[in-house]
Amino acid sequence: MRLLNTATKRLEQYFDPNVPPYAILSHRWQGREITIEDMNAAYTCQDIRFAKINAFCNEAAALGVRWAWVDTCCIDRSNSSALSEAINSMFAWYSNAVLCLAFLSDVESDTASLRKSEWFERGWTLQELIASRRIAFYNSQWKHIGTKESLREALADITGIDEGILAGDDPTERSIAQRMAWAARRKTTRIEDRAYSLLGLFDISLPMIYGEGNKAFLRLQEEILRRSDDHSIFAWRHIDLEDTQSLENPSTPCGLLASSPAAFADCENVIQTPAVPGSHGYAMTNRGLSIHLPTIPYSMRTYLALLDCTEDTVPTGRLGILLERFSVRWYGRVRRDQRDREIINSKRLDGSKCIMRRILVKQRIADKSTDIGYGFWLRGLDRVGFQMDKSGSAQIFSRDPESPYSQDLPFVRIPDGLYGTAGVGFIPLQSRINPQCRVYCIKVGFDDVFCPACLLGNAQYLRGQPKASTHRTHPESSTTPGVQGREILFKNSWITYTETPKFEHNDNFCVLKGSGVWEVPFLDVQVSISLQNLPESLHGKTPFPRWWTVDILDSKPSSQKKDETIRGNYADTDSAACQEVTRTKASAKL
């Protein structure tokens, strides 16, 4: 460690454990500062840039300290190993100093203008404020304006750092999210320094790789993951693209790690909670981050994954983040309707829907933005097996009032975050083989774990379901246009929570659930529920190229029929998730 003699202004080198007591300077760099090379030049003391160092040494000497350290001239920045050692040792050097002098070059008077100082906006000064046990603050004229102790309340208000930390509490006693939040609004000249300036706060050492950009912050988080089981590292929010030092794009799926400390801007009150019983640790693997989390269905292919953390205002809660499933195990973090996390009160969790899942997330995800419409494409209703009767054309209503059903747009939709009935149709049809069997009603929707379902039956089934259900559903729609009594059209009680795929029927109705093809005996037709690509004629009319499709097909000849009525298929659907819920039955107790 190189130290300045406060009397001679010359550098001398010391090694542990023989480092003498020293004062240390905290300041903002302004233009080209004095370097270690400049300190060896004969004219240095006459250089106007030396004024800051000279004033610092004089003040330290007046306070009885013989040695001093300044980051500009006590580090050989031309030596990469020396620079790496200095950056990794910085927190300890400030912590071990007998006194830190903070020079606020933009503060002209006393504490009245303290809040506006850029010293509170720089990345490196954060660890200098926290690590230093004693700090004396000086204005631009080197007039003393207060100490870390006397200004503690004002410093806490300006920085968002709680007074306990400013009084000397160990920073590692705070959650990872809280520590990241302290740095969220600070900036550095080099993007990499946003990570390197935080090493001491997390007691982490990293090799310096200038030129790696935002990868430095990812490396920091990966190293934290190896040492900590604190889930609050995942509690960040998506940030806007106006932050030029971030690569976060809230419109596309991403990994579980943030690209910038700015993503933790509102995490000052995120605290750890006890781990869920039966939970596992997590690890970075060559396939990505592997973690087990309790999850609750949120919308199609999207789950609220519950972390072992909450906000201190909701101590009994769990903070959840939204994850979209791309395959059986692979997930990515997403935002839905400007929301990417929420607090769930653990006392109100419905255990039947909350299960522990193993989740794999790659930090860099190819463009996996959702390409599936959240609703149904209805086709073939009068193509096979049926004919329109004389009462007129079908009336089909979508639950989403912003996306009404029409011949040009033959879709029924349900808003994200809801489940239940997506569309209701009055279809004046009759079977060719049984003219007495009229089908006046079709309902399509998603159950409470977002498996697709379809009901065919006579008009009475518009008002309910064949079997009673006690399962919770979202509020019913009362805004659907059309026939009298429309306020009851979108009741969700016909969709029951059950194992999938499923087929229920009698002589007047059938309920189909899951992905597959079903024989419908009382109509002598087949009904298919599957994911389908839209034809070219519908391209450009919806942003989603694939939709769940309910299709009426010709029945197979009797010789080809089997005893079973179900040919289920779980591929590329949320039905696999439904089956997993049914098998598990047990929920994590939160």
Side-chain angles (χ1 to χ4, degrees):
M1 184 179 189
R2 292 182 178 87
L3 295 175
L4 272 171
N5 187 306
T6 57
T8 66
K9 313 299 190 299
R10 294 299 179 186
L11 289 171
E12 297 186 29
Q13 191 163 10
Y14 292 89
F15 299 93
D16 288 333
N18 299 315
V19 177
Y22 60 92
I24 199 165
L25 178 65
S26 177
H27 67 117
R28 287 191 306 113
W29 282 43
Q30 296 170 292
R32 185 179 181 277
E33 296 274 356
I34 292 291
T35 66
I36 192 170
E37 291 82 6
D38 295 328
M39 293 301 296
N40 297 321
Y43 62 86
T44 297
C45 291
Q46 284 71 45
D47 193 321
I48 191 172
R49 295 174 298 145
F50 191 74
K52 184 195 302 185
I53 295 176
N54 191 51
F56 165 59
C57 288
N58 292 341
E59 187 66 23
L63 294 171
V65 184
R66 184 180 176 186
W67 302 98
W69 187 90
V70 185
D71 58 347
T72 59
C73 63
C74 293
I75 301 174
D76 184 0
R77 297 178 183 275
S78 65
N79 185 323
S80 60
S81 62
L83 177 61
S84 181
E85 178 186 3
I87 290 177
N88 280 285
S89 303
M90 199 77 71
F91 191 92
W93 288 353
Y94 275 87
S95 179
N96 294 334
V98 295
L99 177 65
C100 174
L101 276 60
F103 175 57
L104 311 185
S105 60
D106 53 355
V107 174
E108 299 295 335
S109 57
D110 54 14
T111 57
S113 57
L114 194 65
R115 180 180 296 274
K116 298 180 180 179
S117 176
E118 291 187 20
W119 188 88
F120 295 104
E121 300 175 3
R122 306 308 299 173
W124 288 105
T125 56
L126 172 63
Q127 70 170 356
E128 296 166 11
L129 173 63
I130 294 175
S132 303
R133 292 172 294 171
R134 295 176 57 204
I135 303 180
F137 290 91
Y138 293 82
N139 66 11
S140 61
Q141 304 302 314
W142 280 95
K143 300 295 184 182
H144 184 260
I145 58 176
T147 66
K148 184 178 181 179
E149 182 177 3
S150 66
L151 298 173
R152 186 184 303 161
E153 185 176 348
L155 294 174
D157 184 53
I158 295 170
T159 63
I161 304 171
D162 65 86
E163 292 191 41
I165 293 296
L166 296 176
D169 288 356
D170 187 346
T172 59
E173 295 177 357
R174 302 301 186 267
S175 73
I176 290 172
Q178 287 175 304
R179 283 175 275 171
M180 290 291 189
W182 301 337
R185 295 176 177 86
R186 292 177 179 256
K187 297 181 179 180
T188 58
T189 303
R190 301 289 297 270
I191 294 178
E192 296 87 352
D193 285 339
R194 296 197 78 173
Y196 302 157
S197 63
L198 299 177
L199 296 180
L201 285 180
F202 297 98
D203 194 22
I204 296 294
S205 295
L206 286 179
M208 306 298 106
I209 310 176
Y210 282 101
E212 66 176 332
N214 283 284
K215 291 181 182 178
F217 190 62
L218 294 179
R219 283 201 298 126
L220 171 65
Q221 293 172 92
E222 289 170 357
E223 189 62 29
I224 292 172
L225 290 177
R226 294 187 182 96
R227 297 166 176 249
S228 171
D229 62 354
D230 182 354
H231 281 192
S232 72
I233 194 173
F234 309 121
W236 51 274
R237 290 186 186 274
H238 288 83
I239 57 179
D240 295 329
L241 292 176
E242 283 76 9
D243 183 353
T244 58
Q245 292 190 328
S246 168
L247 295 179
E248 204 63 68
N249 187 342
S251 65
T252 59
C254 60
L256 286 183
L257 302 182
S259 65
S260 164
F264 292 89
D266 66 344
C267 292
E268 293 96 338
N269 62 341
V270 174
I271 59 175
Q272 287 184 267
T273 58
V276 174
S279 63
H280 305 266
Y282 48 77
M284 292 298 300
T285 71
N286 59 356
R287 301 184 66 195
L289 178 63
S290 174
I291 185 172
H292 288 75
L293 292 173
T295 60
I296 299 174
Y298 181 81
S299 67
M300 188 168 62
R301 293 173 170 263
T302 304
Y303 300 87
L304 192 66
L306 305 180
L307 305 175
D308 292 337
C309 61
T310 186
E311 295 179 355
D312 55 15
T313 55
V314 192
T316 61
R318 293 277 168 174
L319 190 149
I321 57 176
L322 292 178
L323 300 179
E324 182 177 346
R325 183 173 61 84
F326 301 124
S327 64
V328 175
R329 296 294 183 195
W330 290 100
Y331 294 77
R333 185 159 178 189
V334 294
R335 182 160 72 174
R336 293 284 181 264
D337 297 325
Q338 304 303 310
R339 301 171 63 191
D340 55 6
R341 78 180 197 197
E342 62 180 78
I343 300 290
I344 298 294
N345 192 320
S346 57
K347 294 181 179 179
R348 298 182 180 179
L349 287 175
D350 185 342
S352 64
K353 301 179 194 123
C354 182
I355 67 167
M356 189 73 71
R357 298 179 191 272
R358 184 194 174 207
I359 293 169
L360 284 171
V361 183
K362 289 184 178 179
Q363 186 59 28
R364 293 188 176 275
I365 300 176
D367 187 7
K368 291 279 189 178
S369 52
T370 301
D371 64 350
I372 302 174
Y374 191 22
F376 292 84
W377 175 25
L378 304 179
R379 68 178 184 179
L381 298 181
D382 58 354
R383 184 180 65 195
V384 180
F386 294 115
Q387 61 183 5
M388 283 284 183
D389 70 11
K390 298 179 180 180
S391 60
S393 60
Q395 290 180 297
I396 299 176
F397 306 113
S398 174
R399 182 171 181 178
D400 186 350
E402 301 298 323
S403 302
Y405 179 93
S406 68
Q407 292 297 320
D408 289 336
L409 293 172
F411 311 106
V412 290
R413 293 195 68 240
I414 187 170
D416 281 343
L418 300 181
Y419 61 84
T421 307
V424 176
F426 289 95
I427 307 174
L429 308 173
Q430 63 186 74
S431 170
R432 291 187 307 213
I433 65 169
N434 183 4
Q436 302 303 315
C437 179
R438 295 188 174 217
V439 180
Y440 287 97
C441 169
I442 182 172
K443 285 189 175 186
V444 291
F446 299 98
D447 67 9
D448 50 11
V449 285
F450 301 98
C451 294
C454 173
L455 177 147
L456 291 169
N458 59 35
Q460 67 175 304
Y461 297 116
L462 282 173
R463 300 175 178 273
Q465 68 155 23
K467 295 169 64 177
S469 171
T470 60
H471 295 283
R472 181 180 63 85
T473 54
H474 280 275
E476 316 294 355
S477 169
S478 60
T479 61
T480 305
V483 299
Q484 185 178 10
R486 61 183 179 268
E487 68 277 0
I488 64 172
L489 297 185
F490 286 88
K491 283 190 173 181
N492 300 322
S493 53
W494 66 277
I495 306 180
T496 58
Y497 173 79
T498 183
E499 185 174 357
T500 60
K502 184 176 178 61
F503 178 85
E504 293 181 358
H505 73 96
N506 62 20
D507 292 339
N508 295 302
F509 83 95
C510 65
V511 175
L512 322 170
K513 185 177 290 189
S515 172
V517 181
W518 289 264
E519 293 284 342
V520 181
F522 74 97
L523 296 175
D524 196 33
V525 296
Q526 288 184 338
V527 176
S528 166
I529 301 178
S530 62
L531 275 176
Q532 296 286 332
N533 293 318
L534 295 183
E536 290 186 7
S537 60
L538 292 175
H539 287 181
K541 295 184 177 182
T542 171
F544 305 105
R546 294 196 297 164
W547 284 77
W548 283 105
T549 304
V550 174
D551 214 344
I552 306 297
L553 309 170
D554 259 329
S555 181
K556 292 186 298 185
S558 299
S559 60
Q560 297 181 22
K561 292 182 181 180
K562 299 179 180 179
D563 292 338
E564 311 95 276
T565 59
I566 299 173
R567 288 197 292 111
N569 175 13
Y570 295 121
D572 200 26
T573 75
D574 269 1
S575 298
C578 301
Q579 190 181 50
E580 182 179 355
V581 174
T582 305
R583 284 198 311 264
T584 306
K585 293 295 185 184
S587 160
K589 296 181 179 180
L590 304 178

